[in-house]
Amino acid sequence: MKRLFSWSARPQLAFDVGTANIRVISAADGVLLDEPSVCCFDHRATPSTLIAAGAEAQLMLDRTPQGLKVQRPLYRGVLQDLEAACALLTYARRQVVGRSRLRAGPTLIGIPADATEVERRALLTAAEEGGFGRVRLVSEPMAAAIGAGLPIAEARASMLIECGAGTTEVVVISLGGVAVRKTVRVGGDALDRAISDHVHMEHRVTIGAQTARRVKLELSATGTDDAASLVSLKGRRLGSGLPTVLTLPSSDFDPVVRKHARPIIEAVKDCLAQTPPELSHDVCEFGVTLTGGSAYLPWLGAMITDLSGLEVRVAEHAEHCVARGLQQMLH
Ligand SMILES: Nc1ncnc2c1ncn2[C@@H]1O[C@H](COP(=O)(O)OP(=O)(O)OP(=O)(O)O)[C@@H](O)[C@H]1O
């Protein structure tokens, strides 16, 4: 691949800072750290102090006493909590720098393709306050396309949908650049919330975020069209406030998952409508590649095929495509 940098010191590390997960990648060893993008702070004194980050902080989610708060640096793919972002980046860097031969040097950080100037600056500020030296921001869908093994440099269009926790990015790439793109700030986290809302409204039971995510993963494995498959979930009954266990057919969630997928399908439709005819022809011939953790939702690919007739494939280890692409960019 063509060298991306003119820096005298080549970047040794790359960060994929996602809404749900942060990954740190080195050129030689690939993914060195893969943990949830969360931090837990103690706000009982000023200034607040970091209690835990990453996997340890995730265990505290929905379980903190008063004064402790689990914070997510990103919401819908965008940095929203600078304190948490600095803490998370510092934590992740310290976990890997010094553990190996790596030196703290220039760094690559992935960012959504449609990030505004303000969003880019916020991420650079967090990196600077987190003790990073020089940072270069790189487009996540481009990294995902490289990581998925798409022939991005060729005069041939590749359509890719990067399906994350907070965003879904639809791009058509040709000759090493993005020809058409459409981003929706909807991802796997929105489906967790939709599942939780559905159980609340239709069954009068409140469930936690972790339960909603587990239900989603079960539905992802079974699909929602088999009335015989069941999901059970523990929650708190509205009104009585008592703990309860609900057992529901997977098909109960079919309208929920379809409604969640609708803006994504609309984005695909828009992107196809804006794609010039020659590139469109390539997309028809070579199909669509899904990357990101939410690429595994089986109805997503099926709905895209129903809409467009295009063949859809889920990239191998879809959740690690951005990380694999960043690794290649480091070489
Ligand atoms: N097997 C699966 N089926 C469905 N969803 C899954 C599966 N595995 C992971 N996910 C979901 O994928 C999302 C995480 O994907 P990923 O790590 O690509 O996101 P991210 O990079 O953190 O987010 P973003 O790029 O939007 O900021 C989460 O919502 C997670 O629940």
Side-chain angles (χ1 to χ4, degrees), residues 35-58:
E35 295 196 24
S37 290
V38 283
C39 295
C40 182
F41 288 91
D42 186 346
H43 290 281
R44 285 171 295 195
T46 312
S48 53
T49 47
L50 180 75
I51 301 286
E56 200 186 341
Q58 176 81 1

Side-chain angles (χ1 to χ4, degrees), residues 34-299:
D34 183 355
E35 295 196 24
S37 290
V38 283
C39 295
C40 182
F41 288 91
D42 186 346
H43 290 281
R44 285 171 295 195
T46 312
S48 53
T49 47
L50 180 75
I51 301 286
E56 200 186 341
Q58 176 81 1
L59 294 175
M60 300 173 178
L61 202 62
D62 293 339
R63 292 194 166 86
T64 46
Q66 269 189 2
L68 298 196
K69 193 169 167 212
V70 174
Q71 296 171 211
R72 289 185 171 277
L74 276 78
Y75 180 67
R76 298 185 169 183
V78 173
L79 197 155
Q80 57 149 12
D81 182 335
L82 194 60
E83 178 190 38
C86 293
L88 186 70
L89 285 169
T90 308
Y91 162 80
R93 196 170 60 89
R94 288 209 182 124
Q95 290 294 102
V96 299
V97 172
R99 183 216 268 182
S100 59
R101 309 173 301 282
L102 292 164
R103 284 171 289 111
T107 309
L108 297 189
I109 304 184
I111 189 156
D114 76 330
T116 62
E117 198 44 46
V118 173
E119 291 164 358
R120 297 170 75 84
R121 240 181 292 127
L123 188 54
L124 289 172
T125 304
E128 195 182 325
E129 292 186 12
F132 286 56
R134 298 183 69 181
V135 169
R136 173 153 185 163
L137 302 179
V138 294
S139 151
E140 280 173 357
M142 189 57 97
I146 295 169
L150 297 180
I152 59 154
E154 290 177 18
R156 177 200 121 170
S158 301
M159 185 175 218
L160 173 126
I161 310 179
E162 161 65 12
C163 313
T167 56
T168 304
E169 302 195 72
V170 187
V171 289
V172 175
I173 296 172
S174 176
L175 289 167
V178 173
V180 187
R181 76 175 152 79
K182 181 90 195 165
T183 301
V184 278
R185 302 284 176 171
V186 172
D189 281 2
L191 181 53
D192 299 353
R193 288 192 293 274
I195 288 170
S196 182
D197 290 350
H198 172 76
V199 174
H200 186 97
M201 301 299 287
E202 299 299 321
H203 302 284
R204 314 238 345 121
V205 169
T206 304
I207 58 171
Q210 313 252 41
T211 302
R213 182 167 323 117
R214 182 185 53 74
V215 169
K216 175 185 71 180
L217 295 179
E218 281 185 38
L219 295 173
S220 177
T222 60
T224 54
D225 42 10
D226 176 8
S229 89
L230 300 172
V231 282
S232 64
L233 36 97
K234 290 180 186 159
R236 189 164 45 83
R237 194 157 281 290
L238 288 180
S240 73
L242 294 173
T244 187
V245 179
L246 267 185
T247 301
L248 300 169
S250 300
S251 54
D252 193 63
F253 293 94
D254 194 57
V256 181
V257 304
R258 286 183 181 278
K259 188 171 172 199
H260 164 263
R262 219 171 287 149
I264 298 172
I265 303 300
E266 283 302 313
V268 175
K269 224 160 124 181
D270 283 359
C271 213
L272 286 169
Q274 289 167 24
T275 303
E278 291 304 328
L279 301 184
S280 211
H281 182 85
D282 294 341
V283 174
C284 284
E285 190 171 344
F286 300 108
V288 183
T289 302
L290 304 189
T291 60
S294 302
Y296 296 115
L297 296 170
W299 47 85

